[in-house]
Amino acid sequence: RGWRGAPYRIEEEELADFELPSWTNLLLEPGKWVEGLILETNRQTTRVKVGDQQFDLTAEDIEWTGRKNPTEIFETGDVAWFEAQTREEDGAVDHLVLRQEPKLEGAVVVLESATGAVRAMVGGWDYSRSSFNRATQARRQVGSAFKAFVYGSALEIGFTPADTLFDAPVAFPGADLQLTYSPRNNSRRYYGITTLRRGLEHSMNVTAAKLGDLVGLDRVIEFARRCGISSPLQPYPSLPLGAAELIPVELTAAYAAIANQGVFVDPFVIERITGPNGSLVEEHQPQAHKAMEPEIARVLTEMLAGVVDRGTAVSIRHLDVDLAGKTGTTDRYVDAWFVGFTPQLTLLTWVGHDQNEPIGRRMTGAAAALPIWRSIIETGLEEKWIPTGEKFASPPSVVNLPVEYFTGFLPGTGATAVIQESFITGTEPTRLYDPEWQRIMRLPWYQ
């Protein structure tokens, strides 16, 4: 979002002797944010005082601002935030990197899918700035992150990932009961014949809206309720696109039901309370229920894994663990989401402003929320609390078959885009792909 300028400036003649209140009992260590006072700045040198130490900034230390000339950023006497860092093995702080308190807020939830235990939670940037916990108290539109429940409800009534819909202009009754609601894809183009898998992977809004209409919005809501969504859901045509406002921990737990082979477990943060002598005062009792059949959860998991393999979350495909999830973006880029899971953990990240202002141009879930999600997974793999190479379990009632990616047919003559697709036993496709489909798929459906 760019550099907004120094928070404030000290108007003193003898800056070298000036002490900021935040320096009282200052412990300077790598990774810590500290206030720094600009003693001198020109094209060659920018000297910063922190406590009783002074540091010279380099071009790398301000690189994220997009500026190379420090005089475009600082004036003598400016006070700004810096992160203390080290390049040496002894760990001593030897340089500073310019930082800035964001106007944005965020939330993170890390849930153990099988038990409902909240293993980590972040409710905002800084508790001293705002005690409002966005992970447990905020209600935000979830955008395309809701589409998992639309596709899950479709699987329950017999749809398969290889079935096709026609992604093209469509109109639904709006609030005026006229055909005034016409959803559009984020790309502002249409894709014609598309499989359900491809529609979910690339987050096609029109396909999701059509699918919700075919399945029935009451059935979509009922499926979401079984997954643990308790917030108000209205059967409007915009529901499949995430018009509903949900609480982050609620959405995380609903995705955990998919990850937990169809079993929803109520999330909790306190496992037990004991007295001074070790006596048990209170202990959490798991609350669980069946949200969907295991084979539905497995096929839906594979569809969400495709979002990582080929879709909007492809930037995390390289990580050495099975991953599945969905990006979410709301109108005007107000909210950015990514919610997904490993075989053991379900994680959610959200970014946005408290006052529903746009984050910024093209700040989708993939751009604003997914990088945070990725960093958590990378840390987990590095620190080994996420097992490397872990795979999703599969019930025996689900089979994997090769299909042609764009049509969902079994591979035949001329089929080059072939993927492995998951089907509940008895729902496998029988039609073979043939070269005629190359011509059909090249027709200008966008017109």
Side-chain angles (χ1 to χ4, degrees), residues 29 32 78 96 103 107 111 127 131 134 195 243 245 357 366 368 372 375 433 435:
E29 53 189 16
K32 185 175 182 179
D78 280 350
L96 304 175
K103 290 184 177 180
L111 195 68
Y127 187 84
S131 61
R134 290 147 195 86
T195 63
E245 295 180 337
E357 302 167 7
I372 304 169
S375 71
Y433 180 88

Side-chain angles (χ1 to χ4, degrees), residues 270-284:
I270 298 175
E271 187 170 313
R272 69 175 62 88
I273 300 171
T274 57
N277 60 356
S279 60
L280 185 64
V281 176
E282 186 176 326
E283 187 171 24
H284 171 76

Side-chain angles (χ1 to χ4, degrees), residues 44 56-65 67-70:
Q44 288 74 38
D56 289 329
L57 296 183
T58 67
E60 292 180 354
D61 299 331
I62 62 171
E63 183 179 21
W64 67 265
T65 67
R67 313 285 180 84
K68 295 182 179 180
N69 183 358

Side-chain angles (χ1 to χ4, degrees), residues 402-417:
V403 299
E404 202 279 329
Y405 178 62
F406 293 96
T407 62
F409 297 154
L410 295 173
T413 304
T416 56

Side-chain angles (χ1 to χ4, degrees), residues 166-169 189-194 198 437-447:
F166 191 59
D167 189 81
R189 58 170 291 196
Y190 300 98
Y191 298 90
I193 299 169
T194 183
R198 187 164 167 247
W437 278 93
Q438 294 182 10
R439 184 185 68 82
I440 294 172
M441 300 302 286
R442 284 198 298 266
L443 289 172
W445 297 116
Y446 56 87
Q447 295 182 352

